[in-house]
Protein backbone atom coordinates (compact mmCIF):
# COMPACT_ATOMS: atom_id res chain seq x y z
CA UNK A 1 0.00 0.00 0.00
CA UNK A 2 2.87 2.37 0.80
CA UNK A 3 4.27 1.92 -2.72
CA UNK A 4 0.89 2.88 -4.17
CA UNK A 5 0.60 6.00 -2.02
CA UNK A 6 4.23 7.00 -2.52
CA UNK A 7 4.17 6.58 -6.31
CA UNK A 8 0.80 8.31 -6.50
CA UNK A 9 2.25 11.29 -4.62
CA UNK A 10 5.30 11.30 -6.87
CA UNK A 11 3.07 11.23 -9.95
CA UNK A 12 1.09 14.19 -8.58
CA UNK A 13 4.33 16.09 -7.91
CA UNK A 14 5.62 15.33 -11.41
CA UNK A 15 2.32 16.48 -12.96
CA UNK A 16 2.60 19.74 -11.02
CA UNK A 17 6.19 20.21 -12.22
CA UNK A 18 5.12 19.28 -15.78
CA UNK A 19 2.58 22.10 -15.76
CA UNK A 20 5.12 24.52 -14.27
CA UNK A 21 7.71 23.61 -16.91
CA UNK A 22 5.30 24.88 -19.56
CA UNK A 23 5.76 28.40 -18.23
CA UNK A 24 9.53 28.49 -18.84
CA UNK A 25 10.52 31.39 -21.07
CA UNK A 26 11.11 30.56 -24.69
CA UNK A 27 14.64 30.52 -26.00
CA UNK A 28 15.79 31.85 -29.31
CA UNK A 29 18.32 29.01 -29.62
CA UNK A 30 15.94 26.14 -29.03
CA UNK A 31 13.11 25.71 -31.54
CA UNK A 32 11.10 23.50 -29.17
CA UNK A 33 11.46 25.81 -26.16
CA UNK A 34 13.29 25.50 -22.88
CA UNK A 35 10.48 23.56 -21.20
CA UNK A 36 10.40 20.73 -23.75
CA UNK A 37 13.09 18.50 -22.27
CA UNK A 38 11.90 18.85 -18.64
CA UNK A 39 8.34 18.14 -19.77
CA UNK A 40 9.48 15.06 -21.71
CA UNK A 41 11.34 13.70 -18.68
CA UNK A 42 8.49 14.54 -16.29
CA UNK A 43 5.95 12.96 -18.63
CA UNK A 44 7.98 9.75 -18.66
CA UNK A 45 8.26 9.83 -14.87
CA UNK A 46 4.48 10.22 -14.55
CA UNK A 47 4.01 7.28 -16.91
CA UNK A 48 6.43 5.11 -14.90
CA UNK A 49 4.74 6.06 -11.61
CA UNK A 50 1.30 5.22 -12.99
CA UNK A 51 2.61 1.86 -14.21
CA UNK A 52 4.04 1.15 -10.75
CA UNK A 53 0.74 2.13 -9.10
CA UNK A 54 -1.19 -0.24 -11.40
CA UNK A 55 1.27 -3.09 -10.77
CA UNK A 56 1.31 -2.56 -7.00
CA UNK A 57 -2.50 -2.29 -6.88
CA UNK A 58 -2.75 -5.74 -8.49
CA UNK A 59 -0.34 -7.15 -5.89
CA UNK A 60 -2.16 -5.38 -3.06
CA UNK A 61 -5.55 -6.82 -4.03
CA UNK A 62 -4.13 -10.38 -4.03
CA UNK A 63 -2.02 -10.05 -0.87
CA UNK A 64 -2.97 -11.14 2.64
CA UNK A 65 -3.29 -8.49 5.39
CA UNK A 66 -0.05 -7.20 6.90
CA UNK A 67 0.83 -7.21 10.59
CA UNK A 68 -0.19 -4.14 12.59
CA UNK A 69 3.24 -2.47 12.64
CA UNK A 70 4.22 -3.17 9.02
CA UNK A 71 3.67 0.41 7.86
CA UNK A 72 5.77 1.84 10.67
CA UNK A 73 8.52 -0.70 9.94
CA UNK A 74 8.47 0.20 6.23
CA UNK A 75 8.79 3.92 7.03
CA UNK A 76 11.67 3.20 9.41
CA UNK A 77 13.50 1.06 6.82
CA UNK A 78 13.14 3.86 4.25
CA UNK A 79 13.93 6.79 6.59
CA UNK A 80 17.07 7.75 4.70
CA UNK A 81 15.12 7.96 1.45
CA UNK A 82 12.55 10.22 3.09
CA UNK A 83 15.34 12.34 4.54
CA UNK A 84 17.01 12.79 1.15
CA UNK A 85 13.64 13.61 -0.46
CA UNK A 86 13.00 16.22 2.22
CA UNK A 87 16.44 17.72 1.69
CA UNK A 88 15.84 17.77 -2.07
CA UNK A 89 12.52 19.58 -1.56
CA UNK A 90 14.32 22.13 0.62
CA UNK A 91 16.94 22.51 -2.13
CA UNK A 92 14.23 23.26 -4.70
CA UNK A 93 12.79 25.98 -2.48
CA UNK A 94 16.23 27.38 -1.53
CA UNK A 95 17.60 27.79 -5.08
CA UNK A 96 15.53 30.92 -5.93
CA UNK A 97 16.69 32.65 -2.74
CA UNK A 98 20.26 31.41 -2.26
CA UNK A 99 21.13 30.52 -5.83
CA UNK A 100 22.35 27.19 -7.18
CA UNK A 101 25.88 27.40 -5.83
CA UNK A 102 25.10 27.96 -2.14
CA UNK A 103 21.93 25.88 -1.91
CA UNK A 104 23.58 22.88 -3.59
CA UNK A 105 26.62 23.26 -1.31
CA UNK A 106 24.43 22.96 1.78
CA UNK A 107 22.32 20.19 0.20
CA UNK A 108 25.34 18.07 -0.72
CA UNK A 109 27.02 18.46 2.66
CA UNK A 110 23.89 17.81 4.74
CA UNK A 111 22.94 14.83 2.55
CA UNK A 112 26.34 13.26 3.10
CA UNK A 113 26.03 13.80 6.84
CA UNK A 114 22.56 12.22 6.75
CA UNK A 115 23.92 9.21 4.87
CA UNK A 116 26.73 8.55 7.32
CA UNK A 117 29.56 11.11 7.42
CA UNK A 118 30.16 11.47 11.17
CA UNK A 119 33.90 11.58 11.93
CA UNK A 120 36.16 14.55 11.22
CA UNK A 121 37.86 12.84 8.28
CA UNK A 122 34.60 11.90 6.56
CA UNK A 123 33.15 15.35 7.31
CA UNK A 124 36.20 16.94 5.72
CA UNK A 125 35.79 14.73 2.64
CA UNK A 126 32.07 15.58 2.55
CA UNK A 127 32.90 19.28 2.65
CA UNK A 128 35.44 18.98 -0.15
CA UNK A 129 32.97 17.02 -2.28
CA UNK A 130 30.20 19.54 -1.60
CA UNK A 131 32.41 22.50 -2.53
CA UNK A 132 33.85 20.76 -5.60
CA UNK A 133 30.48 19.72 -6.97
CA UNK A 134 28.46 22.83 -6.16
CA UNK A 135 31.06 25.29 -7.42
CA UNK A 136 32.39 22.94 -10.10
CA UNK A 137 29.01 22.27 -11.68
CA UNK A 138 28.30 25.97 -11.80
CA UNK A 139 31.67 26.73 -13.40
CA UNK A 140 31.23 23.97 -15.99
CA UNK A 141 27.73 25.14 -16.90
CA UNK A 142 28.79 28.79 -17.06
CA UNK A 143 32.12 28.39 -18.88
CA UNK A 144 31.64 25.26 -21.01
CA UNK A 145 27.92 25.13 -21.76
CA UNK A 146 27.35 28.91 -21.51
CA UNK A 147 24.31 28.32 -19.30
CA UNK A 148 23.72 30.51 -16.27
CA UNK A 149 22.42 28.63 -13.25
CA UNK A 150 20.11 30.50 -10.87
CA UNK A 151 21.80 33.20 -8.82
CA UNK A 152 20.62 34.12 -5.38
CA UNK A 153 20.83 37.02 -2.99
CA UNK A 154 24.40 36.12 -1.98
CA UNK A 155 25.81 36.09 -5.54
Amino acid sequence: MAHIVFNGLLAALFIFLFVRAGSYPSSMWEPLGSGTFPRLVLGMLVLFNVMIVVQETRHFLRASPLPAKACRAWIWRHRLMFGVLLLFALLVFAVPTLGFRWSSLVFLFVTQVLLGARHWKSLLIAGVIAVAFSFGVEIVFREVFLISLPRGLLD
Side-chain angles (χ1 to χ4, degrees):
M1 181 65 167
H3 288 226
I4 296 169
V5 172
F6 182 68
N7 283 286
L9 289 173
L10 280 178
L13 172 67
F14 295 149
I15 289 169
F16 170 74
L17 293 174
F18 181 90
V19 171
R20 293 268 319 227
S23 65
Y24 287 166
S26 60
S27 169
M28 56 186 174
W29 294 286
E30 298 178 35
L32 297 177
S34 58
T36 302
F37 181 72
R39 291 184 100 185
L40 178 66
V41 171
L42 290 165
M44 294 299 293
L45 288 172
V46 169
L47 179 66
F48 291 146
N49 284 117
V50 168
M51 289 170 31
I52 291 171
V53 166
V54 168
Q55 180 182 6
E56 290 297 321
T57 302
R58 289 181 188 156
H59 289 131
F60 178 73
L61 295 175
R62 283 187 258 144
S64 58
L66 294 173
K69 295 184 179 183
C71 184
R72 184 176 296 166
W74 184 88
I75 291 172
W76 180 253
R77 277 196 322 270
H78 294 85
R79 68 190 179 277
L80 292 177
M81 176 204 53
F82 287 119
V84 171
L85 284 174
L86 176 65
L87 288 172
F88 184 71
L90 292 174
L91 170 72
V92 169
F93 288 111
V95 166
T97 305
L98 299 175
F100 176 82
R101 181 185 330 164
W102 297 107
S103 56
S104 64
L105 174 77
V106 172
F107 169 76
L108 289 170
F109 184 77
V110 173
T111 300
Q112 291 178 79
V113 170
L114 173 71
L115 296 177
R118 297 287 188 270
H119 302 292
W120 71 269
K121 196 173 188 180
S122 58
L123 289 171
L124 179 65
I125 292 170
V128 168
I129 290 171
V131 168
F133 276 90
S134 63
F135 285 77
V137 166
E138 188 199 19
I139 290 169
V140 167
F141 270 77
R142 186 181 63 235
E143 300 298 328
V144 176
F145 301 129
L146 303 174
I147 297 173
S148 296
L149 295 175
R151 300 184 81 111
L153 300 174
L154 301 175
D155 289 329

